[in-house]
């Protein structure tokens, strides 16, 4: 029996010590036994625990505010009276660290004695987790209440679970309506505020029928407010338990966006290029004027650095930014490159924009294209300079004549007295050089006083024919000559010898510009210059002109010296190969005939001289009629597609065509032209296209049009080339060419010629 008891006790002790929870036995309020888990939990040995009371290991006051001693006695009393107790108890480890526990007390009667069994579980980790959760919930609540967005959570049963203060303020719903289990008043309050309550309800129903779907839309209120509304499922373990709704009041932002849009629309109406960039140079705004001037669209440049787009050096940008930031503004002239690499001159006005704190934020630049104005100013300055040089040259020539006259007269006298042949040879050399000097003086006088000579009716065809003979007889064979002279050339009034000198001098210069051979293009054109052309050229007057073109494929003239080539004694030729008076004489002769000269040149791409001579009227009837335009060829209702990236060219060309019986369609680039052509293919009789355009240039447009319709009739217009250079572009196939700026008469005659052609070329 005793052995059985000992065996049973041993089993009990083993279970007692191996239990996962701490187990204590108390008698008369003191510990009389504890298992190994209890020792581990309390951090004390068995001897340190037995004989002590629970409140010996507890702080004076429990978390619920009761005295540890009083609370312990109260609980023991209830257990001794047969009421099991379950409660939380705070103890202290030997180092003072709090030990939160859950305690279960039961009354046990063993061998006539009343014991209390305490099963204790460590809940420190749970307590810490609960505290963390409480802090997280408090932080979440504080965050939700501080955010400007209204937040609302609704369960799967469509009952309101939570909302923040911003939601209440935004929707102006009474709190008691939100707290009610009946959500009808709150919903009605919402619907009464909206412009489209039916759409709102339909959206809500749809989302609850599709619980995993997310949504974003705008809500418009009757009072003008606008909310952004978003809704997403509230997921727990991947399952939707309701929805989270968020609302953001964007009324002010929308009003600001509308205001900005209105302002941007006004800026887009401006002809000037208006650009906003940040301090580092990144483009933030690019108006329609900038698109028209530079050829870049807004979406192509926003975000890029202005130096990359306008080809301004970084040093220049930094200097402008520094001055603008320090002074608040900058004003000056700059040269920029367009998308098609055209160099334009701009008057630039920069203003500093600051943020709300007064710090430099961005720079507003208004760029006005003054290229045409600068060209006219340059023409005027060149004319003034040439007039001044002419006056000076006249004075010098007069003095030189006075110096050379006695020298030349003395030579013959000295020859008579010369005693030997060597002296005679020296005198002859002096005489030849004196005559050469006299010839130069005569040229100077001609330049200074103007060229006088007989004025007769001259046919330009005869001038070209005589020049052609000289070129073929004397020019190197590696220079190919191309001629174009219309059958009916208008006559001009002038001295045939001087006019021939002009043409020959220009051809000689072209020959010298092609030392290794090339192509020389010589042509004559009848043209009527209108008021628009005259406004662009200082020397021009509206009326009938004969234009002589001399184009070479030679070395070209550097842009730095092109304005000086007509000045006396200026030459780019080697010493001994030119006096520098050739072009000055050309200009003097042309001016004496009431004409003017234009020159276009690019290094490595050749040079074109256009010489304008006033044409004689063909009859007394024509002289009586001051307007030549009505006699120009009329259209027959044909449709012409005009392709040009310059809006002013499109407008003027369209008006001209319409006024003379044509119907005009327009496109601002090649890609747009293809769209228009495909939509009106059966109507379009001819295409007039520029060569240099953004998106899709002239050559690409011509090739694409010919792919669509090999028989399409095309006229090419260009301000930087001639038929001689354009025709060299591979696969373009250009036969008809207009040099910009062209007149209404030139356009209408060319168009009539093209439309009346029976043969399709090429």
């Amino acid at each position: 029996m005793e052995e059985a008891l000992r065996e049973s006790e041993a089993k009990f002790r083993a279970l007692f010590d191996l239990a996962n929870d701490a187990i204590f036995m108390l008698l008369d309020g003191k510990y009389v036994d504890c298992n190994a888990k209890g020792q581990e939990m309390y951090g004390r040995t068995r001897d340190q625990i037995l004989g002590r009371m629970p409140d010996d290991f507890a702080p004076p006051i429990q978390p619920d505010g009761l005295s540890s001693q009083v609370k312990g006695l109260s609980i023991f009393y209830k257990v001794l009276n047969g009421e099991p107790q379950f409660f939380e108890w705070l103890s202290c480890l030997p180092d003072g660290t709090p030990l939160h526990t859950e305690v279960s007390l039961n009354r046990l009667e063993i061998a006539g004695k009343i014991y209390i069994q305490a099963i204790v579980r460590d809940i420190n980790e749970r307590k810490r987790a609960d505290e963390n959760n409480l802090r997280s919930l408090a932080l979440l609540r504080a965050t939700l209440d501080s955010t400007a967005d209204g937040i609302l959570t609704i369960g799967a049963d469509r009952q309101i679970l939570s909302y923040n203060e911003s939601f209440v303020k935004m929707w102006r719903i009474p709190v008691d309506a939100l707290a009610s289990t009946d959500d009808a008043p709150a919903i009605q309050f919402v619907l009464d505020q909206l412009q489209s309550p039916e759409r709102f309800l339909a959206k809500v129903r749809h989302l609850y029928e599709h619980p995993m779907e997310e949504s974003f839309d705008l809500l418009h209120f009757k009072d003008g407010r606008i909310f952004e509304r978003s809704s997403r499922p509230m997921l727990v373990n991947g399952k939707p338990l309701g929805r989270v709704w968020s609302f953001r009041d964007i009324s002010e932002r929308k009003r600001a966006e509308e205001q900005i849009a209105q302002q941007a629309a006004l800026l887009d109406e401006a002809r000037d290029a208006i650009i906003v960039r940040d301090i580092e140079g990144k483009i933030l705004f690019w108006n329609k004027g900038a698109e028209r001037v530079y050829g870049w669209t807004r979406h192509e440049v926003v975000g890029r650095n202005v130096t990359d787009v306008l080809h301004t050096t970084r040093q220049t940008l930094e200097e402008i930014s520094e001055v603008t930031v320090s002074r608040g503004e900058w004003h000056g002239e700059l040269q920029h490159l367009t998308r098609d690499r055209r160099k334009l001159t701009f008057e630039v006005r920069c203003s500093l924009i600051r943020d709300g704190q007064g710090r430099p934020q961005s720079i507003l630049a208004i760029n006005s294209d003054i290229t045409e104005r600068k060209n006219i100013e340059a023409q005027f300055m060149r004319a003034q300079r040439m007039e001044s040089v002419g006056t000076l040259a006249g004075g010098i020539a007069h003095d030189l004549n006075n110096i050379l006259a006695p020298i030349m007269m003395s030579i013959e006298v000295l020859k008579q007295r010369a005693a030997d042949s060597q002296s005679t040879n020296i005198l002859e050399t002096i005489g030849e050089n004196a005559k050469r000097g006299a010839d130069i003086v005569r040229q100077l006088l001609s330049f200074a006083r103007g060229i006088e000579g007989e004025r007769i009716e001259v046919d330009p065809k005869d001038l070209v024919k005589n020049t052609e003979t000289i070129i073929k007889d004397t020019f190197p064979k590696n220079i190919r000559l191309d001629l174009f002279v219309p059958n009916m050339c208008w006559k001009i009034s002038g001295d045939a010898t001087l006019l021939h000198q002009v043409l020959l001098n220009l051809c000689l210069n072209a020959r010298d510009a092609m030392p290794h051979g090339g192509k020389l293009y010589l042509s004559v054109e009848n043209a009527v210059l209108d008021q628009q052309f005259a406004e662009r050229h200082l020397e021009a007057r509206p009326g009938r002109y004969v234009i002589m073109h001399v184009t070479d494929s030679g070395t070209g003239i550097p842009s730095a010296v092109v304005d000086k080539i007509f000045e006396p004694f200026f030459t780019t030729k080697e010493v001994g190969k030119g006096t520098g008076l050739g072009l000055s004489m050309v200009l003097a002769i042309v001016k004496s005939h009431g004409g003017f000269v234009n020159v276009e040149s690019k290094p490595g791409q050749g040079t074109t001289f256009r010489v304008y001579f006033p044409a004689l009227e063909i009859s007394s009837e024509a002289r009586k009629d001051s307007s030549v335009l009505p006699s120009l060829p009329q259209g027959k209702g044909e449709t012409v597609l005009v392709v040009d990236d310059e809006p002013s060219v499109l407008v003027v060309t369209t008006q001209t065509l319409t006024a003379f019986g044509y119907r005009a369609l327009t496109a601002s680039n090649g890609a747009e032209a293809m769209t228009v052509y495909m939509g009106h293919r059966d109507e379009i009789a001819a295409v007039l296209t520029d060569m240099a355009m953004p998106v899709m240039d002239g050559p690409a447009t011509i090739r694409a049009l010919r792919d669509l319709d090999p028989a399409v009739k095309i006229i090419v217009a260009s301000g930087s080339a001639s038929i001689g250079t354009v025709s060299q572009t591979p696969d373009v196939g250009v036969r008809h060419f207009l040099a910009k700026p062209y007149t209404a008469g030139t356009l209408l005659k060319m168009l009539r010629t093209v439309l009346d052609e029976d043969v399709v070329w090429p």
Side-chain angles (χ1 to χ4, degrees), residues 75 101 113 282 472 632 653 735:
I75 292 173
T101 58
K113 294 181 179 180
K282 185 172 71 174
K472 288 183 175 179
L632 296 174
T653 306
R735 183 182 182 188

Side-chain angles (χ1 to χ4, degrees), residues 297-587:
T297 62
R298 183 175 303 174
H299 74 273
E300 289 176 318
V301 299
V302 170
R304 293 177 60 184
N305 195 285
V306 70
T307 57
D308 298 333
V309 177
L310 305 184
H311 301 279
T312 303
T313 64
R314 186 164 296 278
Q315 181 181 356
T316 301
L317 177 69
E318 290 174 353
E319 290 174 355
I320 293 173
S321 298
E322 183 178 348
V323 174
T324 305
V325 170
S326 61
R327 301 180 184 176
E329 60 181 6
W330 181 88
H331 179 268
E333 291 183 7
L334 294 174
Q335 285 192 328
H336 294 156
L337 291 183
T338 63
R339 181 172 185 167
D340 56 3
R341 310 297 292 181
R342 288 181 295 119
K343 184 182 290 186
L344 301 180
T345 303
F346 291 89
E347 183 179 24
V348 180
R349 298 177 295 278
C350 293
S351 300
L352 181 66
I353 301 174
R354 299 182 182 273
D355 61 15
Q357 287 71 45
R359 294 171 300 194
Q361 183 181 45
S362 54
I363 293 176
L364 167 69
I366 301 177
N367 300 350
S368 303
D369 184 0
I370 59 171
T371 307
E372 198 62 42
R373 190 185 81 191
K374 297 296 285 187
N375 289 340
I376 293 174
E377 288 177 358
Q379 292 178 41
F380 180 71
M381 293 299 294
R382 185 165 61 240
Q384 283 190 324
R385 186 167 66 249
M386 294 297 289
E387 183 178 349
S388 300
V389 172
T391 303
L392 176 63
I396 294 174
H398 181 270
D399 292 340
L400 286 175
N401 269 336
N402 290 335
I403 295 171
L404 291 170
I407 294 174
M408 296 180 68
M409 287 186 293
S410 300
I411 289 173
E412 294 301 323
V413 176
L414 292 173
K415 280 184 180 180
Q416 298 296 325
R417 299 180 180 180
D420 54 74
S421 60
Q422 184 178 2
S423 298
T424 303
N425 290 335
I426 292 174
L427 289 172
E428 288 179 353
T429 301
I430 294 174
E432 289 174 359
N433 282 279
K435 289 179 182 178
R436 185 181 175 192
D439 289 338
I440 294 175
V441 169
R442 277 193 295 274
Q443 287 182 324
L444 280 173
L445 284 173
S446 297
F447 170 76
R449 298 173 181 173
I451 306 297
E452 297 296 333
E454 61 175 342
R455 293 292 186 264
I456 62 173
E457 186 178 279
V458 178
D459 189 339
K461 285 193 293 184
D462 295 336
L463 295 175
V464 173
K465 186 180 296 183
N466 292 336
T467 304
E468 179 187 10
T469 301
I470 295 174
I471 291 173
K472 288 183 175 179
D473 291 343
T474 63
F475 278 29
K477 300 305 179 183
N478 58 1
I479 294 179
R480 192 182 79 188
L481 175 64
D482 283 348
L483 296 177
F484 178 79
V485 182
N487 292 327
M488 294 297 295
C489 275
W490 294 341
K491 305 298 190 296
I492 57 179
S493 175
D495 186 305
T497 301
L498 295 176
L499 295 175
H500 181 263
Q501 183 181 347
V502 168
L503 205 54
L504 184 58
N505 206 320
L506 293 176
C507 290
L508 289 172
N509 282 346
R511 177 202 65 186
D512 294 342
M514 298 183 289
H516 305 294
K519 186 175 180 180
L520 176 61
Y521 179 74
L522 186 60
S523 70
V524 178
E525 175 188 357
N526 300 326
V528 178
L529 305 187
D530 51 24
Q531 186 62 38
Q532 180 187 6
F533 185 95
E535 290 174 356
R536 289 172 169 263
H537 296 79
L538 192 63
E539 306 94 335
R541 299 290 182 271
R544 293 157 43 91
Y545 280 79
V546 173
I547 308 174
M548 296 184 182
H549 301 257
V550 180
T551 298
D552 65 69
S553 60
T555 55
I557 305 172
S559 57
V561 302
V562 72
D563 289 337
K564 302 178 182 179
I565 59 175
F566 293 105
E567 296 179 4
F569 305 111
F570 179 85
T571 180
T572 58
K573 298 178 181 179
E574 298 177 11
V575 176
K577 293 190 176 181
T579 63
L581 289 172
L583 286 178
S584 62
M585 287 299 299
V586 166
L587 184 63

Side-chain angles (χ1 to χ4, degrees), residues 47-64:
D47 292 339
Q48 290 173 329
I49 295 174
L50 299 186
R52 307 287 295 276
M53 300 182 70
D55 55 275
D56 291 338
F57 305 120
I61 303 298
Q62 289 291 309
D64 55 10

Side-chain angles (χ1 to χ4, degrees), residues 573-615:
K573 298 178 181 179
E574 298 177 11
V575 176
K577 293 190 176 181
T579 63
L581 289 172
L583 286 178
S584 62
M585 287 299 299
V586 166
L587 184 63
I589 294 171
V590 173
K591 280 190 171 183
S592 71
H593 285 73
F596 59 96
V597 182
N598 278 347
V599 59
E600 292 178 3
S601 184
K602 289 184 179 180
Q605 299 184 26
T607 302
T608 295
F609 283 89
R610 295 186 181 92
V611 186
Y612 295 76
F613 291 108

Side-chain angles (χ1 to χ4, degrees), residues 135 187 313:
R135 280 195 295 269
I187 293 176
T313 64

